Amino acid sequence: ALENKGLVRTLAKPDLIAAEGMFRDQCLGVTYQLNTIRGILFRCLFALGDLVELRERVAPVRAQAERQGDRYMILICETAGGALLAAQHDDMPEAERALASARERLTEGAAFVPHYWAFSTEALLNLYRGRAAEAHTRMVWLEGALKRSLLWRVAPSRKLKNAVRGRAAAQLALAGGPDAPRHLRDAERCARKLTREREAWGMPAARTILGLTALARGRPSQAIAALRAAASGFDGEHMKLYAAATRRLAGEPLGGTEGDALVREADAAFA
């Protein structure tokens, strides 16, 4: 029951910690379940901005996985831990090394849970580096692969894909060009899908996308209102880094003393 609750509410940190302890200390023959719960917990900690705890949890699990030759857990540690933690410090060579290490452990010609971990992380890193086209291409491919493997029925996989694809499409629309209208429609479609999921963090994620599409449509006031609402929604889910990043997005078009203050506060949150 704890495992299921944690999987349904991906940010239910206490439930995930309890499930990890139960599988680790009370069960035998549940390596896959324990690994998966740990992976979800690692992503949860990153979303909540609990990066010190994330680093402390990943290190011993990674060391144990290396001793046991556990390829699946090593891949999770490299993607949900190593690559994202390295990006937080702007250490992109280390992030790339971790991601390459994860890719080496993938089975070719298929799409399983490890592919979801690796390629969703790849897309997040590309978004961070401003490579929206690469992120979007990867998420379009991943959606088809998830549907063929039936992993599309797993709600967290679907939601993260829509959030990342929507952000990438919105960034491409902001860049302009002849394909901008198509990217706008794609971004707004992803936002609608997130809204229909009725997941608490999905609403601010959808508002973030809609704020960016409003900017692309030349509606800065509407964009700033949507981004501020998104940041407040992330605050309500205790996703402090997501809230800070969204306030930064609002601060840039707002400008002036207030906008500059939002940007500075966001940068301080990531320091």
Side-chain angles (χ1 to χ4, degrees):
L2 285 171
E3 179 197 11
N4 289 336
K5 188 175 182 183
L7 285 169
V8 171
R9 296 188 66 247
T10 54
L11 300 184
K13 176 181 171 181
D15 297 324
L16 291 168
I17 291 173
E20 183 201 20
M22 180 181 67
F23 281 123
R24 183 188 63 236
D25 301 331
Q26 302 176 30
C27 302
L28 295 174
V30 292
T31 301
Y32 175 80
Q33 289 87 342
L34 176 59
N35 287 351
T36 300
I37 283 294
R38 281 173 166 165
I40 297 171
L41 174 59
F42 293 166
R43 278 280 176 93
C44 167
L45 292 172
F46 186 83
L48 295 175
D50 295 338
L51 303 185
V52 173
E53 181 177 354
L54 173 59
R55 194 176 300 277
E56 291 173 348
R57 285 182 175 273
V58 167
V61 171
R62 170 63 192 265
Q64 181 184 39
E66 289 281 6
R67 289 194 301 271
Q68 296 174 341
D70 187 340
R71 294 167 60 88
Y72 180 42
M73 195 66 239
I74 293 170
L75 184 145
I76 289 175
C77 289
E78 293 283 42
T79 54
L84 296 181
L85 286 169
Q88 192 264 336
H89 288 289
D90 273 330
D91 187 352
M92 299 315 295
E94 173 57 22
E96 282 291 349
R97 184 214 60 77
L99 188 57
S101 173
R103 286 200 206 98
E104 289 173 359
R105 292 170 168 81
L106 295 175
T107 302
E108 294 186 6
F112 304 118
V113 173
H115 296 77
Y116 164 76
W117 289 110
F119 293 134
S120 61
T121 299
E122 176 191 295
L124 288 170
L125 291 178
N126 277 328
L127 267 182
Y128 178 71
R129 291 181 294 189
R131 300 177 181 176
E134 293 177 40
H136 188 263
T137 298
R138 175 57 75 190
M139 297 315 287
V140 170
W141 175 89
L142 187 60
E143 178 174 342
L146 291 174
K147 287 178 177 178
R148 289 190 296 274
S149 67
L150 300 184
L151 286 172
W152 192 248
R153 296 178 179 271
V154 180
S157 304
R158 209 169 49 235
K159 294 168 191 173
L160 180 62
K161 189 286 307 178
N162 284 325
V164 178
R165 177 172 174 169
R167 280 290 306 274
Q171 293 289 353
L172 289 171
L174 275 168
D179 291 329
R182 176 170 60 85
H183 292 310
L184 275 172
R185 292 192 296 272
D186 189 19
E188 290 166 349
R189 188 183 308 114
C190 289
R192 289 194 297 272
K193 289 178 179 178
L194 282 168
T195 301
R196 288 199 297 269
E197 294 281 4
R198 300 184 182 277
E199 179 77 32
W201 70 265
M203 290 301 296
R207 289 192 177 113
T208 301
I209 295 169
L210 294 176
L212 293 173
T213 59
L215 274 180
R217 292 185 185 278
R219 302 169 185 170
S221 297
Q222 181 182 334
I224 292 165
L227 291 168
R228 280 179 156 166
S232 295
F234 285 130
D235 281 335
E237 292 302 304
H238 309 289
M239 299 170 68
K240 48 183 174 284
L241 296 185
Y242 279 71
T246 307
R247 286 195 173 90
R248 196 183 201 289
L249 290 172
E252 290 171 345
L254 181 60
T257 303
E258 187 178 2
D260 291 344
L262 288 175
V263 171
R264 285 195 304 271
E265 289 171 12
D267 289 345
F270 283 92

